[in-house]
């Protein structure tokens, strides 16, 4: 049996993803008592898991260091990696949105200053609207930008809306709904097809059952 290398995103999304995989029979006891190790294998189930930064999952899968990965749709839209998107896991749901100060009005005629961790998604969105923008690429705490006058608006992930609310900001426009996806390396999908299809089918069934 082929061993599948699976990249999990560190954090809440990865933990939920592992819970789904475990429920499908792909458990790995070593991963449940991790210590500081990063790789965990269950040879009986043919799986080897490793934790990586959420934004790095697609890189591991694209380059074949992982056969499969769990990644947010935001990362796929931002980096456009050459991978197969096999399944919408319908969890880790949030949305990509434009947000600004309450009562924000677009300063028509001026270049719109947009702070974001997602320059590609931002560029694509405003290109479709033919809106002239200046992207300010930040790495975190994006909500600060409009408050301090660094930008007019932000493009960011909104999950519960708490961060926006607590900083007197609000959603101005929705861009796209986001959820976690199962992705595969394109060669692994050919050469480890049976193992990958088995996991894909079991996860798909589980997604349907928990709807
Ligand atoms: C994300 C996102 C928002 C927040 C949204 O930030 O960038 O700041 O979560 O969640 P909410 O709608 O439930 O409040 P993250 O926690 O990844 O930290 P960051 O500021 O470092 O990007």
């Amino acid at each position: 049996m082929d061993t599948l290398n699976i990249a999990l995103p560190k954090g809440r999304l990865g933990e939920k993803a592992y819970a789904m995989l475990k429920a499908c029979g792909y458990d790995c006891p070593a991963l449940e008592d991790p210590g500081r190790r990063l790789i965990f294998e269950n040879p009986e189930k043919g799986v080897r898991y490793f934790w990586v930064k959420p934004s790095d999952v697609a890189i591991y899968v694209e380059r074949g260091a992982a056969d499969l990965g769990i990644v947010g749709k935001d990362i796929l839209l931002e980096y456009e990696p050459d991978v197969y998107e096999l399944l919408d896991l319908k969890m880790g749901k949030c949305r990509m949105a434009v947000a600004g100060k309450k009562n924000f009005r677009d300063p028509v005629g001026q270049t719109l200053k947009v702070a974001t961790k997602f320059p590609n998604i931002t560029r694509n969105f405003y290109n479709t609207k033919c809106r002239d923008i200046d992207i300010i690429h930040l790495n975190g705490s994006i909500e600060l930008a409009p408050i301090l006058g660094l930008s007019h608006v932000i493009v960011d992930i909104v999950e519960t809306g708490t961060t926006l609310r607590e900083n007197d900001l609000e959603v101005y426009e929705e861009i796209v709904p986001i959820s976690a996806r199962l992705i595969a390396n394109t060669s692994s999908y050919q050469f480890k097809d049976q193992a990958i299809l088995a996991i894909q089918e079991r996860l798909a069934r589980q997604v349907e059952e928990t709807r």
Side-chain angles (χ1 to χ4, degrees):
M1 182 171 57
D2 285 323
T3 295
L4 289 176
N5 291 304
I6 305 176
L8 293 172
K10 254 186 245 168
R12 215 156 26 109
L13 184 65
E15 276 154 31
K16 279 193 198 167
Y18 172 67
M20 285 183 81
L21 286 156
K22 182 177 174 179
C24 290
Y26 296 94
D27 58 300
C28 181
L31 188 140
E32 291 167 36
D33 181 20
R36 311 245 357 175
R37 275 180 307 152
L38 297 169
I39 300 186
F40 309 92
E41 186 165 355
N42 186 348
E44 282 170 29
K45 301 291 169 78
V47 284
R48 185 184 296 123
Y49 292 108
F50 41 92
W51 295 113
V52 302
K53 244 187 121 177
S55 51
D56 289 343
V57 168
I59 298 172
Y60 282 82
V61 175
E62 183 174 36
R63 291 177 174 266
D67 301 304
L68 292 174
I70 308 286
V71 66
K73 181 72 178 174
D74 52 323
I75 302 296
L76 298 179
L77 292 171
E78 181 59 27
Y79 297 101
E80 302 181 16
D82 183 16
V83 297
Y84 291 142
E85 190 181 319
L86 301 183
L87 184 66
D88 182 350
L89 296 172
K90 308 220 166 126
M91 54 101 170
K93 286 187 181 176
C94 53
R95 54 211 164 118
M96 188 65 67
V98 181
K101 285 202 220 166
K102 285 184 179 157
N103 306 317
F104 164 79
R105 293 281 168 273
D106 190 320
V108 180
Q110 274 183 51
T111 299
L112 185 71
K113 288 191 272 178
V114 189
T116 189
K117 271 192 288 194
F118 302 96
N120 192 35
I121 292 175
T122 300
R123 199 175 305 108
N124 289 339
F125 176 66
Y126 283 104
N127 273 350
T128 63
K129 298 160 76 83
C130 297
R131 181 71 174 93
D132 182 31
I133 59 164
D134 176 14
I135 296 178
I136 300 162
H137 189 176
L138 299 177
N139 296 300
S141 303
I142 314 297
E143 291 81 1
L144 271 175
I147 299 171
L148 298 179
L150 181 63
S151 72
H152 293 110
V153 290
I154 61 174
V155 165
D156 201 10
I157 282 171
V158 180
E159 192 179 350
T160 61
T162 310
T163 312
L164 291 182
R165 219 169 16 252
E166 294 192 357
N167 290 290
D168 294 322
L169 302 171
E170 61 186 15
V171 169
Y172 179 68
E173 270 180 295
E174 309 244 337
I175 299 180
V176 65
I178 303 290
S179 58
R181 308 297 160 105
L182 175 70
I183 58 171
N185 172 265
T186 53
S187 318
S188 306
Y189 194 72
Q190 286 187 340
F191 296 113
K192 296 187 177 181
D193 55 332
Q194 288 194 3
I196 290 179
L197 283 175
I199 216 166
Q200 181 183 358
E201 277 170 21
R202 287 196 201 181
L203 280 170
R205 213 173 307 135
Q206 219 211 333
V207 170
E208 280 308 308
E209 280 166 9
T210 51
R211 269 167 78 105

